[in-house]
């Protein structure tokens, strides 16, 4: 027996919707306060510019970087190239740079590494770190002094990535807003809809940005692209509610239309958002922490978008309702019936072609040339710093630097290891305290006897013995004093440091010239020690004749580890951009497979319960997954490096967000095929779905492409380019391939469908009613039919499919008559 449900009483969703609409002023006050707070709190957000901070703590690179930051000092440096100068002039310029305050070292030689053609390269080291004022001022002084030359400066000194990106994104957002306004105006039914949508978007974006401080630090990627992606990903939600309201307003008052529209939209929009959230949630499984960072920020963005659409937008609709009525305009979206007819005619041709392209895309995209560092990424727009780096790179042979961090205390072992590394053809040279020359061929770490020390420094032998005796006493090595000093050897660096200490304390009197010389040597020693030695660890640098990344470089890193572990099996690390890229490459394949599987699985589960079919979700996923493989075949064809993070993020977003386009078409088709033949159903489906798809898709594609062309950051440019291209491909496939698949796969969809038995809705009503669907019962007599129109009288019937709504008696009679006439 059927369960009776009285639909004349407001259901749960209608009660919630009625509360929101009735309490709209309360929500206005809340949003005003929340937005003011968000403007203030957005300044609390910390941005992390160092992408290596998101490497897993278990990786060698992450451990090595943390150790180096703790144990060593890294001074700011710059590569400065001057073009159109002679060799003689270059040496003069070197001396001029050395005289600038807080410049500690200038490297320049008559070799191809420093002078080629008429271009001179100066490698400058400053007295402070990259972000210290003294380094920034010193670099500014160099730029000012040589501003009349053709000068190119490549340096991290004073470089604030987040500040540069903020300026770029502000410009991008302004242009994106113009595009959004144009897109919304084109597909809207009333000009006043646009401000309603923009205010809703703006509030959601502001709330998300203002609450990012809760996450602590967020990456420069999340901070830069979150607003644009939020607007693009969540625009569908507001459009759905707006279109629902327009439909309900045809036969209901403004208040009732807003309530009905919201009640119907909440389940529909929530279901739609699940696919996007599912795709983003897959990013959380990445070993590389940037995935979790971006996932949290964007999922939070989706929730705030939903919250704004559900609680703020209904009030805005009521506020702008009258204006929306007055500013209605004719439909600007053209009919695309020709696409539907073409899709039906090619239903047996296009799917096999797509299958071939999909398989080809799978194999071609598998060979995508990924980049794991950002230094080799090309951008359409380049900053002055990037132009300088590219110019220097193309003029001079660049070396790849890697650092070796080992336990300190054994200079002999360090020297032997560095000597072994220099035997490799891949190593141009090495640098460490153990192979840094001090005087007359002696290295800083060479152990010298008193006689050797006296010969090196031209000091009296007896004075050298006295110095060694004082050193032994200071180190409490009293046995040396008793047994004599003939064989007592001390590393030169330690003896010079001790001599400086004793001289400055007045225990060893020296003439002024010798004292100045000792002080100068000591300053260089201390400078080297701060960079290359701590109480626990030593740092050495290898300069490689290899690119930063690639198979050859990664293969040589294995050899480096082999030699390193032979001398230092424990607590030793290899650190650098190459090792960071190596760690990322190692984790990429696992992250790639896991995210692809989870993204598809999460979306399939959502679609399974949405469409109550096992076959349809597989068909939809095939289309979107095919678009992903085709998308990442382009870098292979164009021989253009693709940033690995772009693939992981874009494939996840493309799967989660673009599947909505497929859902819109599939939902409409499933509904229309019950009433029309397949040809008419697909034509009407595409005409109805086109405005939503073209609005959302065009905005996402345009915003992403804007990012790609206007940002100077390689990682973000790669992300924007891939997402923009992928969105365009997805739109083409869901409009030009999915319809054919739905038509020829209709039997599969129906045979794999299941239905949860719903109770019949029995209603008894009297008066004026809007009937829309199939009913079985009495209308002043028995009826079993599909009815679409307005009835006046008595109704007692089971609602098999559709709805019955009570209408107010004072509604427009002429309109009622027209609707009945049209239905008849």
């Amino acid at each position: 027996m059927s369960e009776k449900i009285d639909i004349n009483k407001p259901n749960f969703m209608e009660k919630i919707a009625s509360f929101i609409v009735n309490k709209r002023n309360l929500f206005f006050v809340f949003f005003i306060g929340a937005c003011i707070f968000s403007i203030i709190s957005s300044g609390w957000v910390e941005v992390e510019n160092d992408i290596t901070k998101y490497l897993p703590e278990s990786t060698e690179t992450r451990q090595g970087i943390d150790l180096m930051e703790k144990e060593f000092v890294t001074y700011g440096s710059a590569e400065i190239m001057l073009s159109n100068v002679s060799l003689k002039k270059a040496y003069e310029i070197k001396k001029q740079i050395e005289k600038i305050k807080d410049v500690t070292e200038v490297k320049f030689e008559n070799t191809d590494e420093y002078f080629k053609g008429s271009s001179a390269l100066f490698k400058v080291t400053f007295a402070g770190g990259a972000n210290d004022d003294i380094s920034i001022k010193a670099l500014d002084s160099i730029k000012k002094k040589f501003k009349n030359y053709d000068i190119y400066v490549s340096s991290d000194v004073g470089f604030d990535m987040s500040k540069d990106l903020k300026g770029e994104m502000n410009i991008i957002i302004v242009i994106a807003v113009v595009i959004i306004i144009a897109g919304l105006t084109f597909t809207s039914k009333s000009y006043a809809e646009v401000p309603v949508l923009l205010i809703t978007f703006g509030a959601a974006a502001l709330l998300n940005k203002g609450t990012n401080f809760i996450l602590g630090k967020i990456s420069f990627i999340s901070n830069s692209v979150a607003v644009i992606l939020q607007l693009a990903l969540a625009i569908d939600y507001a459009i759905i509610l707006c279109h629902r309201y327009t439909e309900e307003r045809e036969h209901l008052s403004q208040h009732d239309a807003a309530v009905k529209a919201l009640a119907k939209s909440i389940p529909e929009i929530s279901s739609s958002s699940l696919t996007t959230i599912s795709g983003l949630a897959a990013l959380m499984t990445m070993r590389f922490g940037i995935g979790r960072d971006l996932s949290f920020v964007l999922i939070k963005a989706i929730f705030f978008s939903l919250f704004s659409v559900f609680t703020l937008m209904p009030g805005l609709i009521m506020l702008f309702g009258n204006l929306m009525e007055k500013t209605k305009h004719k439909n600007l979206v053209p009919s695309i019936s020709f696409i539907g007819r073409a899709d039906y005619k090619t239903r047996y041709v296009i799917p096999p072609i797509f299958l071939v392209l999909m398989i080809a895309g799978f194999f071609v995209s598998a060979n995508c040339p990924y980049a794991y560092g950002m230094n080799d990424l090309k951008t359409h727009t380049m900053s002055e710093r990037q132009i300088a780096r590219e110019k220097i790179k193309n003029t001079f042979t660049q070396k790849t630097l890697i650092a070796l961090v080992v336990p300190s205390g054994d200079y002999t072992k360090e020297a032997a290891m560095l000597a072994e590394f220099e035997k490799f053809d891949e190593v141009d040279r090495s640098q460490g305290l153990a192979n840094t020359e001090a005087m007359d061929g002696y290295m800083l770490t060479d152990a010298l006897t008193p006689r050797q020390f006296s010969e090196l420094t031209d000091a009296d032998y007896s004075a050298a013995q006295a110095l060694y005796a004082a050193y032994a006493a200071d180190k409490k090595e009293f046995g040396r004093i008793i047994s004599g000093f003939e064989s007592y050897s001390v590393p030169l660096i330690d003896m010079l440091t001790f001599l400086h200490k004793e001289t400055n304390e007045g225990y060893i009197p020296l003439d002024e010239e010798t004292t100045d010389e000792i002080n100068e040597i000591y300053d260089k020693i201390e400078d080297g020690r701060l960079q290359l030695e701590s109480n626990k660890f030593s740092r050495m640098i290898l300069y490689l004749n290899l690119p930063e990344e690639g198979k050859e470089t990664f293969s040589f890193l294995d050899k480096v580890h082999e030699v390193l572990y032979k001398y230092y099996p424990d607590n030793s690390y290899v650190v650098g951009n190459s090792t960071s890229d190596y760690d990322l490459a190692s984790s990429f394949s696992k992250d790639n497979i896991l995210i692809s599987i989870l993204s598809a699985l999460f979306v399939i589960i959502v679609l399974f319960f949405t469409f109550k079919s096992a076959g349809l979700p597989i068909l939809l996923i095939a289309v979107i997954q095919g678009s992903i493989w085709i998308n990442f075949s382009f870098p292979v064809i164009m021989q253009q490096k693709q940033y690995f993070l772009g693939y992981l993020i874009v494939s996840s977003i493309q799967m989660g967000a673009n599947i909505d386009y497929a859902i819109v078409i599939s939902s409409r088709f499933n509904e229309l095929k019950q009433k029309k033949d397949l040809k008419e159903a697909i034509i009407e489906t595409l005409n109805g779905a086109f405005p939503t798809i073209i609005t959302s898709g065009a905005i996402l594609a345009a915003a992403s492409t804007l990012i790609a062309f206007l940002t100077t950051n390689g990682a973000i440019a790669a992300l924007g380019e891939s997402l923009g291209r992928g969105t365009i491909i997805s739109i083409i496939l869901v409009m030009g391939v999915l319809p054919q698949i739905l038509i020829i796969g209709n039997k599969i969809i129906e045979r794999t469908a299941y239905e949860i038995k719903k109770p019949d809705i029995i209603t008894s009503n009297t008066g004026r009613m809007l009937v829309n669907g199939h009913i079985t019962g009495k209308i002043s007599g028995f009826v079993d039919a599909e009815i679409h129109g307005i009835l006046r009288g008595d109704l007692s019937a089971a609602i098999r499919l559709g709805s019955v709504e009570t209408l107010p008696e004072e509604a427009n009679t002429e309109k009622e008559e027209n609707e009945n006439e049209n239905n008849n």
Side-chain angles (χ1 to χ4, degrees):
M1 185 175 178
S2 299
E3 177 186 348
K4 292 188 176 182
I5 301 175
D6 187 356
I7 66 168
N8 295 312
K9 294 182 179 179
N11 59 34
F12 179 70
M13 283 300 171
E14 289 175 341
K15 290 179 180 178
I16 293 177
S18 181
F19 173 81
I20 292 172
V21 173
N22 292 336
K23 302 296 183 181
R24 56 188 178 276
N25 290 333
L26 182 64
F27 284 105
F28 284 156
V29 172
F30 169 81
F31 271 94
I32 291 171
C35 287
I36 293 173
F37 172 80
S38 295
I39 292 172
I40 298 170
S41 62
S42 60
W44 305 344
V45 180
E46 294 183 69
V47 179
E48 180 57 73
N49 292 324
D50 185 1
I51 202 166
T52 63
K53 295 290 186 181
Y54 295 94
L55 284 168
E57 293 186 2
S58 59
T59 59
E60 179 184 31
T61 301
R62 178 70 264 148
Q63 294 175 3
I65 290 175
D66 290 341
L67 188 63
M68 287 199 303
E69 289 179 350
K70 179 182 178 182
E71 298 289 334
F72 305 104
V73 172
T74 300
Y75 292 112
S77 61
E79 288 188 331
I80 299 171
M81 187 179 87
L82 297 180
S83 298
N84 303 314
V85 295
S86 64
L87 179 61
K88 180 181 178 182
K89 187 64 177 178
Y91 276 112
E92 292 177 5
I93 291 171
K94 176 179 182 289
K95 293 179 181 178
Q96 291 176 358
I97 296 175
E98 287 174 333
K99 293 178 181 179
I100 293 175
K101 184 181 179 182
D102 295 318
V103 171
T104 58
E105 184 182 29
V106 181
K107 289 183 179 180
F108 175 78
E109 300 172 5
N110 185 15
T111 64
D112 285 345
E113 186 178 346
Y114 294 94
F115 190 82
K116 186 178 289 186
S118 60
S119 296
L121 180 64
F122 305 93
K123 297 185 179 181
V124 182
T125 303
F126 301 102
N131 297 319
D132 291 343
D133 287 340
I134 57 174
S135 300
I136 296 171
K137 289 178 181 178
L139 182 59
D140 288 341
S141 297
I142 295 174
K143 291 178 181 178
K144 185 177 180 180
K145 188 173 184 65
F146 300 100
K147 64 181 180 181
N148 295 327
Y149 288 81
D150 293 331
I151 183 172
Y152 301 90
V153 179
S154 175
S155 176
D156 287 334
V157 171
F159 175 58
D160 187 343
M161 183 188 296
S162 59
K163 183 179 179 181
D164 286 1
L165 282 175
K166 183 178 180 180
E168 293 172 0
M169 286 302 150
N170 286 339
I171 295 173
I172 291 171
I173 288 172
V174 170
I175 300 175
V177 168
V178 174
I179 292 174
I180 289 172
I181 292 174
L184 294 177
T185 302
F186 178 71
T187 57
S188 69
K189 296 181 180 179
S190 167
Y191 293 118
E193 290 178 12
V194 178
V196 172
L197 297 172
L198 288 178
I199 294 171
T200 304
F201 296 155
L206 194 56
L207 291 181
N208 188 53
K209 188 174 181 65
T211 54
N212 280 335
F213 74 94
I214 298 172
L215 302 176
K217 277 189 177 182
I218 63 171
S219 71
F220 68 91
I221 294 178
S222 299
N223 189 58
S224 301
V225 303
V227 172
I228 295 293
L229 290 182
Q230 180 181 3
L231 293 180
L233 290 173
I235 194 170
D236 286 351
Y237 311 151
I239 292 174
I240 289 172
L241 178 57
C242 194
H243 286 179
R244 277 287 186 185
Y245 170 77
T246 303
E247 293 172 5
E248 298 295 336
R249 188 68 180 91
E250 292 294 325
H251 52 79
L252 292 175
S253 65
Q254 185 176 324
H255 175 275
D256 291 347
V259 172
K260 282 287 184 183
L262 182 57
K264 291 179 178 180
S265 296
I266 289 175
E268 182 180 354
I269 294 172
S270 299
S271 176
S272 175
S273 70
L274 285 177
T275 56
T276 305
I277 292 172
S278 297
L280 294 172
L283 292 174
M284 293 185 184
T285 62
M286 284 178 62
R287 292 179 65 231
F288 190 36
I290 202 83
R292 291 188 297 276
D293 178 81
L294 190 61
S295 179
F296 281 128
V297 172
L298 288 182
I299 288 177
K300 183 162 63 70
I302 298 298
F303 279 123
F304 276 117
S305 296
L306 291 173
F307 182 69
S308 296
V309 169
F310 292 158
T311 61
L312 174 62
M313 191 172 172
L316 293 174
I317 288 175
M318 293 294 293
L319 188 64
F320 285 84
N322 292 332
L323 192 59
M324 289 169 67
E325 294 288 332
K326 294 177 182 178
T327 59
K328 285 183 178 181
H329 60 77
K330 67 178 182 178
N331 187 11
L332 301 176
V333 181
S335 171
I336 58 166
S337 298
F338 66 95
I339 295 179
R341 288 192 290 269
D343 286 347
Y344 187 78
K345 288 180 180 179
T346 58
R347 62 190 182 280
Y348 297 115
V349 178
I350 295 298
I353 295 175
F354 169 69
L355 182 61
V356 172
L357 289 176
M358 180 179 176
I359 295 172
F362 171 75
F363 286 105
V364 174
S365 64
N367 297 311
C368 187
Y370 292 109
Y372 300 95
M374 291 192 291
N375 289 331
D376 292 330
L377 294 176
K378 306 293 184 182
T379 56
H380 298 282
T381 302
M382 297 179 70
S383 64
E384 182 180 338
R385 175 174 170 271
Q386 287 173 310
I387 293 172
R389 187 181 183 281
E390 196 69 17
K391 186 75 173 179
I392 293 171
K393 180 182 176 182
N394 293 334
T395 305
F396 296 96
T397 302
Q398 297 292 293
K399 306 298 181 184
T400 297
L401 278 63
I402 59 173
L404 310 175
V405 181
V406 300
S408 61
D410 193 333
Y411 294 132
T412 303
K413 189 188 291 187
E414 290 179 20
M417 184 178 70
L418 290 176
E420 184 168 344
F421 275 125
E422 291 194 345
K423 293 177 183 178
F424 288 103
D425 292 336
E426 293 88 347
V427 177
D428 178 72
R429 66 182 187 277
S430 64
Q431 179 185 351
L433 289 178
N435 68 350
T436 300
E437 185 175 354
M439 305 162 71
D440 296 342
Y442 282 106
M443 302 300 155
L444 274 175
T445 58
D446 285 348
L448 275 62
T449 63
R451 184 166 297 280
Q452 290 172 317
F453 185 80
S454 67
E455 291 172 354
L456 176 65
T457 59
D458 293 328
D460 185 74
Y461 178 57
S462 59
Q465 286 183 311
L467 178 63
Y468 271 63
Y471 180 88
D474 184 71
K475 301 298 180 182
K476 297 183 173 56
E477 297 178 354
F478 300 109
R480 291 292 186 179
I481 300 175
I482 298 172
S483 61
F485 300 105
E486 288 76 9
S487 61
Y488 183 30
S489 60
V490 177
L492 180 57
I493 185 173
D494 293 339
M495 186 52 69
L496 289 173
T497 301
F498 178 73
L499 178 59
H500 173 268
K501 173 190 169 187
E502 295 297 297
T503 300
N504 279 272
E505 290 179 357
Y507 296 117
I508 300 178
L510 297 173
D511 60 68
E512 185 176 347
E513 183 179 350
T514 305
T515 299
D516 290 341
E517 185 178 351
I518 292 295
N519 287 336
E520 184 178 347
I521 293 173
Y522 173 77
D523 289 341
K524 291 183 178 179
I525 289 174
E526 278 304 296
D527 184 57
R529 262 193 162 142
L530 287 172
Q531 298 179 75
L532 300 175
E533 187 180 47
S534 69
N535 292 331
K536 296 179 180 179
F537 291 93
S538 291
R539 176 165 64 174
M540 290 157 275
I541 308 296
L542 298 183
Y543 295 84
L544 309 182
N545 300 313
L546 294 169
E548 181 182 303
E549 61 177 280
K551 290 183 179 179
E552 187 181 4
T553 303
F554 293 160
S555 177
F556 183 69
L557 287 178
D558 292 333
K559 295 181 182 178
V560 172
H561 282 100
E562 185 179 334
V563 174
L564 178 67
Y565 295 153
K566 181 173 74 173
Y567 289 91
Y568 297 93
D570 300 313
N571 295 326
S572 56
Y573 306 90
V574 181
V575 187
N577 288 339
S578 295
T579 61
S580 172
D581 300 342
Y582 182 78
D583 286 336
L584 292 172
S586 300
S587 65
F588 172 66
S589 58
K590 295 179 182 178
D591 284 343
N592 180 17
I593 294 172
L594 184 61
I595 288 176
S596 297
I597 292 174
L598 289 179
S599 295
L601 183 61
F602 290 161
V603 173
I604 285 175
I605 292 172
V606 173
L607 296 179
F608 181 75
F609 288 102
T610 300
F611 289 106
K612 302 178 180 64
S613 169
L616 184 55
I618 302 299
L619 296 177
L620 298 185
I621 288 294
V623 173
I624 299 302
Q625 186 62 63
S627 73
I628 293 172
W629 288 333
I630 293 171
N631 183 16
F632 286 96
S633 296
F634 277 83
V636 182
I637 298 169
M638 298 165 64
Q639 296 184 339
Q640 178 183 348
K641 282 195 171 183
Q642 172 67 47
Y643 190 51
F644 83 103
L645 192 59
Y647 178 85
L648 293 174
I649 293 173
V650 169
S651 61
S652 181
I653 292 176
Q654 198 173 339
M655 177 62 74
N658 293 0
I659 195 71
D660 285 347
Y661 309 152
I663 291 173
V664 169
I665 289 178
S666 302
S667 299
R668 285 181 177 269
F669 179 71
N670 282 346
E671 181 180 341
L672 290 171
K673 73 181 182 181
Q674 306 297 328
K675 307 172 185 176
K676 304 175 183 290
D677 62 52
L678 294 180
K679 181 179 179 180
E680 291 302 317
I682 203 64
I683 292 173
E684 191 171 332
T685 292
L686 294 183
N687 269 323
F690 181 67
T692 300
I693 293 174
I694 199 64
T695 303
S696 175
I699 289 174
L700 179 55
S704 301
T705 305
L706 266 177
I707 292 173
F709 277 87
L710 296 182
T711 185
T712 59
N713 183 278
I716 294 175
L719 179 65
E721 185 173 352
S722 300
L723 187 55
R725 184 177 60 231
T727 302
I728 294 171
I729 293 171
S730 296
I731 293 173
I732 294 172
L733 292 185
V734 297
M735 296 294 291
V737 176
L738 179 62
Q740 293 93 323
I741 292 176
L742 291 175
I743 293 170
I744 65 174
N746 185 51
K747 290 183 179 179
I748 297 175
I749 296 170
E750 290 183 348
R751 288 176 181 176
T752 58
Y754 69 92
E755 188 68 42
I756 298 174
K757 179 63 178 175
K758 293 182 179 179
D760 290 339
I761 302 175
I762 306 297
T763 184
S764 297
N765 211 346
T766 300
R768 187 169 175 273
M769 294 157 282
L770 173 65
V771 181
N772 208 2
H774 187 105
I775 65 173
T776 302
K778 293 182 178 180
I779 307 177
S780 297
F782 183 80
V783 66
D784 184 353
E786 287 188 16
I787 299 177
H788 302 279
I790 297 174
L791 299 177
R792 187 188 299 275
D794 299 326
L795 171 68
S796 178
I799 313 303
R800 305 294 184 190
L801 179 67
S803 63
V804 175
E805 298 178 20
T806 302
L807 298 178
E809 289 296 333
E810 63 273 12
N812 191 319
T813 304
E814 183 180 349
K815 184 175 180 181
E816 172 186 336
E817 291 174 354
N818 289 337
E819 289 198 28
N820 282 323
E821 183 179 341
N822 290 334
N823 287 321
N824 292 329

